[in-house]
Amino acid sequence: MLVNMHFAPALSGHDYPSVPDWTAKPMKRFSCADVTINYYRNVRTASGEDYVCIAHSLVAFYENEPRFAVSVEKQDLRSLSFLLGQPLKDLQKEYGVRGYLTEGVTVLYGNGEREELGPLQSEEKEEFLLPYLFDILLDGIDYIEDVVPLD
């Protein structure tokens, strides 16, 4: 997915229920040219749905509007169990996990679209994860400028 930050519509929790809540307090803030980027960890969804756990997310803002996001999402099998009326153990077996969260999947949001990139291709330690997510985000908005921490 390629998004023109200057013309893309703002993200909306109405487009997809798993869009990250960009109004939450970010863990860290960054700047890249004319874009501000917030890093969130374990943030809720903008819609309030709880069957998706957003383990990590970068949200890019242009003119104070969220325009693009890259997230690591995990399905919350407890919530899915309740929604689907299926036993948790059956879902754990289906997803091949012992806990209540599935493995992470990398997802992009922008231009009213959602694109799933597949399983997380990085360790979940911040030192490895942030460069991975920034690579995807900067490719998605077609920026080559350096990312500068704001905090």
Side-chain angles (χ1 to χ4, degrees):
M1 171 183 308
L2 189 60
V3 172
N4 183 327
M5 289 295 289
H6 300 114
F7 299 107
L11 293 177
S12 169
H14 300 294
D15 292 337
Y16 294 95
S18 54
V19 170
D21 180 7
W22 60 85
T23 64
K25 183 177 181 188
M27 295 290 297
K28 296 182 180 182
R29 297 178 61 239
F30 302 89
S31 176
C32 181
D34 57 355
V35 172
T36 303
I37 302 164
N38 288 353
Y39 168 60
Y40 301 96
R41 189 170 18 171
N42 295 324
V43 68
R44 294 187 52 83
T45 61
S47 67
E49 293 291 342
D50 63 354
Y51 62 88
V52 174
C53 170
I54 302 174
H56 305 275
S57 187
L58 291 177
V59 178
F61 293 79
Y62 177 72
E63 294 184 342
N64 294 319
E65 286 190 333
R67 306 272 179 111
F68 186 74
V70 56
S71 297
V72 176
E73 297 180 0
K74 299 178 180 187
Q75 299 294 316
D76 185 326
L77 297 181
R78 296 172 301 183
S79 294
L80 280 179
S81 172
F82 178 75
L83 287 172
L84 301 174
Q86 289 186 323
L88 177 60
K89 288 188 184 247
D90 290 352
L91 291 173
Q92 289 171 320
K93 186 176 180 181
E94 181 181 332
Y95 284 94
V97 296
R98 290 180 155 199
Y100 63 89
L101 294 175
T102 63
E103 297 296 319
V105 174
T106 307
V107 180
L108 305 177
Y109 295 95
N111 283 337
E113 298 176 25
R114 178 185 188 273
E115 182 179 339
E116 194 170 300
L117 299 181
L120 177 62
Q121 300 295 315
S122 169
E123 287 187 45
E124 280 201 57
K125 294 180 181 175
E126 204 172 286
E127 63 202 64
F128 303 111
L129 185 67
L130 279 179
Y132 167 77
L133 293 176
F134 272 115
D135 282 347
I136 294 170
L137 182 130
L138 295 175
D139 281 349
I141 63 174
D142 200 25
Y143 275 46
I144 59 171
E145 291 82 0
D146 290 334
V147 174
V148 179
L150 294 176
D151 300 328

